[in-house]
Amino acid sequence: MSVLIAPSILSADFRNLEQQIHQAEQGGANWIHLDVMDGHFVPNISFGPMVVKTVRSITTLPLDTHLMIEKPERYLEAFKNAGSDILTVHAETCPHLHRTIQQIKQLGMKAGVSLNPSTPTNSLKEIIEFVDLILVMTVNPGFGGQKFIESMLGKIQEISNMIGKRKIYLEVDGGIDVETAPKVVKAGANVLVAGNSVFGARSIVGAVKGLRKSVK
Ligand code: DX5
Ligand code: ZN
């Protein structure tokens, strides 16, 4: 699988959202990553389906929606209607993870499962057959611009081994920049979420290109 870049608009300037998303596209972004936070599962509140719908009207790139919310099963349809293509839920928020994953797929979206840094890889054992994407948090979710947790490299490698030949995206999220991107790709990641290093950069086009170059 070639490496995909998914800029997270959490760090974008929302006054110029349209322009900034177009710059990310111009740099070669593959997906747009949308971080939905509820102030319960994570300490921060971000945005919901309305903003996803707005982003849908700005770009034709796949919308990679990362739900950091409690009881995500209540909102699957709302995000489908807003235009999400990929919907990722946190294993920590889903007592009936298998059902939630099936519902996402029945709605016609790709289904992802995410693990916090402290959640062990063995929690994927019974669900791996059913998911399209595994999202490894390389920071504690809630905020952009945090420092990459170096010890997650072993976890990425371990999950990459678990995936084996299966067609499952292995996405990483948190503290990804030109320094950390080559390391996570070496460990087996093939989708890179990047917020601050892309939208915090002087040139968004240049930042996406730089990330790509760092993993070539
Ligand atoms: C963190 C979010 C990330 C965040 C990444 O809770 O899930 O997607 O936007 O931001 P950076 O790349 O700045 O660490
Ligand atoms: Zn995210």
mmCIF file of all heavy atoms in Angstrom, residues 126-146:
data_model
loop_
_atom_site.group_PDB
_atom_site.id
_atom_site.type_symbol
_atom_site.label_atom_id
_atom_site.label_comp_id
_atom_site.label_asym_id
_atom_site.label_seq_id
_atom_site.Cartn_x
_atom_site.Cartn_y
_atom_site.Cartn_z
ATOM 1 N N GLU A 126 -10.471 -9.623 18.274
ATOM 2 C CA GLU A 126 -11.769 -10.128 17.822
ATOM 3 C C GLU A 126 -12.442 -9.246 16.779
ATOM 4 O O GLU A 126 -13.478 -9.592 16.233
ATOM 5 C CB GLU A 126 -12.721 -10.306 19.024
ATOM 6 C CG GLU A 126 -12.186 -11.180 20.133
ATOM 7 C CD GLU A 126 -11.896 -12.607 19.678
ATOM 8 O OE1 GLU A 126 -12.486 -13.063 18.676
ATOM 9 O OE2 GLU A 126 -11.055 -13.256 20.346
ATOM 10 N N ILE A 127 -11.864 -8.076 16.525
ATOM 11 C CA ILE A 127 -12.543 -7.140 15.612
ATOM 12 C C ILE A 127 -11.779 -6.960 14.299
ATOM 13 O O ILE A 127 -12.344 -6.483 13.309
ATOM 14 C CB ILE A 127 -12.793 -5.777 16.334
ATOM 15 C CG1 ILE A 127 -13.910 -4.977 15.648
ATOM 16 C CG2 ILE A 127 -11.545 -4.924 16.429
ATOM 17 C CD1 ILE A 127 -15.285 -5.543 15.770
ATOM 18 N N ILE A 128 -10.536 -7.403 14.278
ATOM 19 C CA ILE A 128 -9.672 -7.120 13.121
ATOM 20 C C ILE A 128 -10.254 -7.638 11.802
ATOM 21 O O ILE A 128 -10.111 -7.000 10.763
ATOM 22 C CB ILE A 128 -8.227 -7.626 13.379
ATOM 23 C CG1 ILE A 128 -7.251 -7.020 12.362
ATOM 24 C CG2 ILE A 128 -8.149 -9.140 13.394
ATOM 25 C CD1 ILE A 128 -5.796 -7.116 12.770
ATOM 26 N N GLU A 129 -10.962 -8.754 11.861
ATOM 27 C CA GLU A 129 -11.553 -9.329 10.639
ATOM 28 C C GLU A 129 -12.606 -8.404 10.021
ATOM 29 O O GLU A 129 -12.977 -8.570 8.874
ATOM 30 C CB GLU A 129 -12.263 -10.656 10.955
ATOM 31 C CG GLU A 129 -11.374 -11.753 11.489
ATOM 32 C CD GLU A 129 -10.254 -12.116 10.527
ATOM 33 O OE1 GLU A 129 -10.420 -11.933 9.296
ATOM 34 O OE2 GLU A 129 -9.207 -12.565 11.024
ATOM 35 N N PHE A 130 -13.132 -7.489 10.817
ATOM 36 C CA PHE A 130 -14.312 -6.727 10.391
ATOM 37 C C PHE A 130 -14.023 -5.274 10.014
ATOM 38 O O PHE A 130 -14.896 -4.585 9.511
ATOM 39 C CB PHE A 130 -15.376 -6.765 11.499
ATOM 40 C CG PHE A 130 -15.757 -8.171 11.879
ATOM 41 C CD1 PHE A 130 -15.163 -8.808 12.957
ATOM 42 C CD2 PHE A 130 -16.691 -8.868 11.124
ATOM 43 C CE1 PHE A 130 -15.499 -10.113 13.294
ATOM 44 C CE2 PHE A 130 -17.028 -10.179 11.452
ATOM 45 C CZ PHE A 130 -16.435 -10.796 12.534
ATOM 46 N N VAL A 131 -12.819 -4.804 10.293
ATOM 47 C CA VAL A 131 -12.568 -3.374 10.077
ATOM 48 C C VAL A 131 -11.813 -3.101 8.772
ATOM 49 O O VAL A 131 -11.109 -3.959 8.252
ATOM 50 C CB VAL A 131 -11.786 -2.737 11.257
ATOM 51 C CG1 VAL A 131 -12.604 -2.805 12.536
ATOM 52 C CG2 VAL A 131 -10.422 -3.383 11.441
ATOM 53 N N ASP A 132 -11.985 -1.869 8.276
ATOM 54 C CA ASP A 132 -11.261 -1.422 7.082
ATOM 55 C C ASP A 132 -10.016 -0.628 7.470
ATOM 56 O O ASP A 132 -9.130 -0.432 6.654
ATOM 57 C CB ASP A 132 -12.162 -0.505 6.233
ATOM 58 C CG ASP A 132 -13.445 -1.201 5.789
ATOM 59 O OD1 ASP A 132 -13.338 -2.203 5.066
ATOM 60 O OD2 ASP A 132 -14.543 -0.758 6.190
ATOM 61 N N LEU A 133 -10.003 -0.154 8.707
ATOM 62 C CA LEU A 133 -8.931 0.770 9.119
ATOM 63 C C LEU A 133 -8.688 0.635 10.625
ATOM 64 O O LEU A 133 -9.633 0.467 11.400
ATOM 65 C CB LEU A 133 -9.360 2.199 8.763
ATOM 66 C CG LEU A 133 -8.462 3.375 9.108
ATOM 67 C CD1 LEU A 133 -8.636 4.485 8.060
ATOM 68 C CD2 LEU A 133 -8.761 3.959 10.483
ATOM 69 N N ILE A 134 -7.427 0.704 11.000
ATOM 70 C CA ILE A 134 -7.053 0.766 12.424
ATOM 71 C C ILE A 134 -6.280 2.064 12.625
ATOM 72 O O ILE A 134 -5.335 2.347 11.879
ATOM 73 C CB ILE A 134 -6.209 -0.457 12.837
ATOM 74 C CG1 ILE A 134 -7.052 -1.733 12.710
ATOM 75 C CG2 ILE A 134 -5.670 -0.300 14.258
ATOM 76 C CD1 ILE A 134 -6.270 -3.033 12.825
ATOM 77 N N LEU A 135 -6.735 2.852 13.591
ATOM 78 C CA LEU A 135 -6.109 4.153 13.868
ATOM 79 C C LEU A 135 -5.377 4.082 15.208
ATOM 80 O O LEU A 135 -6.006 3.920 16.259
ATOM 81 C CB LEU A 135 -7.194 5.239 13.895
ATOM 82 C CG LEU A 135 -6.816 6.637 14.379
ATOM 83 C CD1 LEU A 135 -5.595 7.178 13.673
ATOM 84 C CD2 LEU A 135 -7.984 7.589 14.182
ATOM 85 N N VAL A 136 -4.067 4.190 15.137
ATOM 86 C CA VAL A 136 -3.250 4.156 16.354
ATOM 87 C C VAL A 136 -2.989 5.589 16.795
ATOM 88 O O VAL A 136 -2.366 6.371 16.066
ATOM 89 C CB VAL A 136 -1.897 3.446 16.088
ATOM 90 C CG1 VAL A 136 -1.053 3.418 17.358
ATOM 91 C CG2 VAL A 136 -2.123 2.031 15.569
ATOM 92 N N MET A 137 -3.478 5.939 17.981
ATOM 93 C CA MET A 137 -3.209 7.278 18.514
ATOM 94 C C MET A 137 -1.758 7.328 19.004
ATOM 95 O O MET A 137 -1.356 6.499 19.826
ATOM 96 C CB MET A 137 -4.150 7.607 19.677
ATOM 97 C CG MET A 137 -5.605 7.832 19.286
ATOM 98 S SD MET A 137 -5.881 9.029 17.961
ATOM 99 C CE MET A 137 -5.062 10.509 18.618
ATOM 100 N N THR A 138 -1.025 8.300 18.497
ATOM 101 C CA THR A 138 0.363 8.462 18.915
ATOM 102 C C THR A 138 0.531 9.676 19.849
ATOM 103 O O THR A 138 1.639 10.080 20.165
ATOM 104 C CB THR A 138 1.284 8.551 17.672
ATOM 105 O OG1 THR A 138 0.676 9.417 16.694
ATOM 106 C CG2 THR A 138 1.453 7.190 17.040
ATOM 107 N N VAL A 139 -0.630 10.232 20.258
ATOM 108 C CA VAL A 139 -0.719 11.181 21.378
ATOM 109 C C VAL A 139 -2.028 10.821 22.090
ATOM 110 O O VAL A 139 -2.839 10.066 21.549
ATOM 111 C CB VAL A 139 -0.791 12.662 20.931
ATOM 112 C CG1 VAL A 139 0.447 13.073 20.142
ATOM 113 C CG2 VAL A 139 -2.053 12.947 20.120
ATOM 114 N N ASN A 140 -2.254 11.385 23.261
ATOM 115 C CA ASN A 140 -3.556 11.215 23.901
ATOM 116 C C ASN A 140 -4.543 12.138 23.207
ATOM 117 O O ASN A 140 -4.287 13.344 23.089
ATOM 118 C CB ASN A 140 -3.463 11.515 25.398
ATOM 119 C CG ASN A 140 -2.738 10.387 26.119
ATOM 120 O OD1 ASN A 140 -3.243 9.280 26.219
ATOM 121 N ND2 ASN A 140 -1.528 10.670 26.572
ATOM 122 N N PRO A 141 -5.659 11.589 22.715
ATOM 123 C CA PRO A 141 -6.540 12.396 21.885
ATOM 124 C C PRO A 141 -7.134 13.588 22.644
ATOM 125 O O PRO A 141 -7.324 13.529 23.852
ATOM 126 C CB PRO A 141 -7.640 11.409 21.467
ATOM 127 C CG PRO A 141 -7.600 10.320 22.474
ATOM 128 C CD PRO A 141 -6.170 10.228 22.922
ATOM 129 N N GLY A 142 -7.401 14.644 21.894
ATOM 130 C CA GLY A 142 -8.025 15.822 22.497
ATOM 131 C C GLY A 142 -7.498 17.124 21.937
ATOM 132 O O GLY A 142 -8.254 18.087 21.826
ATOM 133 N N PHE A 143 -6.223 17.139 21.594
ATOM 134 C CA PHE A 143 -5.640 18.409 21.147
ATOM 135 C C PHE A 143 -4.645 18.194 20.019
ATOM 136 O O PHE A 143 -3.984 17.155 19.969
ATOM 137 C CB PHE A 143 -4.928 19.110 22.314
ATOM 138 C CG PHE A 143 -5.835 19.370 23.482
ATOM 139 C CD1 PHE A 143 -5.892 18.481 24.546
ATOM 140 C CD2 PHE A 143 -6.673 20.487 23.493
ATOM 141 C CE1 PHE A 143 -6.751 18.691 25.610
ATOM 142 C CE2 PHE A 143 -7.531 20.706 24.558
ATOM 143 C CZ PHE A 143 -7.578 19.813 25.623
ATOM 144 N N GLY A 144 -4.563 19.182 19.146
ATOM 145 C CA GLY A 144 -3.524 19.172 18.127
ATOM 146 C C GLY A 144 -2.219 19.673 18.728
ATOM 147 O O GLY A 144 -2.200 20.206 19.832
ATOM 148 N N GLY A 145 -1.147 19.453 18.020
ATOM 149 C CA GLY A 145 0.142 20.025 18.399
ATOM 150 C C GLY A 145 0.851 19.378 19.571
ATOM 151 O O GLY A 145 1.739 19.971 20.168
ATOM 152 N N GLN A 146 0.472 18.134 19.930
ATOM 153 C CA GLN A 146 1.150 17.454 21.037
ATOM 154 C C GLN A 146 2.349 16.662 20.520
ATOM 155 O O GLN A 146 2.485 16.368 19.336
ATOM 156 C CB GLN A 146 0.193 16.496 21.741
ATOM 157 C CG GLN A 146 -1.048 17.137 22.324
ATOM 158 C CD GLN A 146 -1.903 16.097 23.040
ATOM 159 O OE1 GLN A 146 -1.637 15.731 24.173
ATOM 160 N NE2 GLN A 146 -2.925 15.603 22.349
#
